Amino acid sequence: MIKTLTKHGNSLALVIDRAVLDLLKIDADTPLDISTDGQVLIVSPVRDTERQKKFKKALETTNRRYGKALKKLAD
């Protein structure tokens, strides 16, 4: 699906089709996590904030412990 951004005041908006919203069970009140890997925009519904906090903490711990080794493996 190809989409274009729509002007919304001084910003740009991405309009998401109703079928996609229904599939993901997203409505106007659903908090969305917007992130990027530097090349791709990632929009995800926030389902469980407590679980997300635990995941981020585990990720930080992993990066602290194994960050250098993972970097070497990536290179």
Side-chain angles (χ1 to χ4, degrees):
M1 172 185 310
I2 304 290
K3 302 295 278 184
T4 57
L5 298 175
T6 304
K7 185 114 172 107
H8 185 75
N10 290 332
S11 300
L12 296 173
L14 177 63
V15 178
I16 303 171
D17 296 337
R18 172 57 53 196
V20 174
L21 296 173
D22 291 344
L23 177 68
L24 298 174
K25 297 181 176 91
I26 295 174
D27 62 21
D29 297 323
T30 305
L32 299 173
D33 179 36
I34 300 173
S35 59
T36 181
D37 66 1
Q39 295 185 13
V40 176
L41 181 67
I42 304 163
V43 180
S44 307
V46 176
R47 298 290 183 206
D48 185 349
T49 55
E50 194 59 39
R51 183 176 179 187
Q52 188 175 24
K53 286 178 190 175
K54 287 180 183 179
F55 175 78
K56 285 184 178 184
K57 184 176 179 184
L59 184 60
E60 289 171 5
T61 301
T62 301
N63 283 333
R64 252 193 326 274
R65 284 185 181 170
Y66 307 110
K68 289 179 184 177
L70 292 171
K71 175 93 170 107
K72 286 181 182 179
L73 287 171
D75 293 336

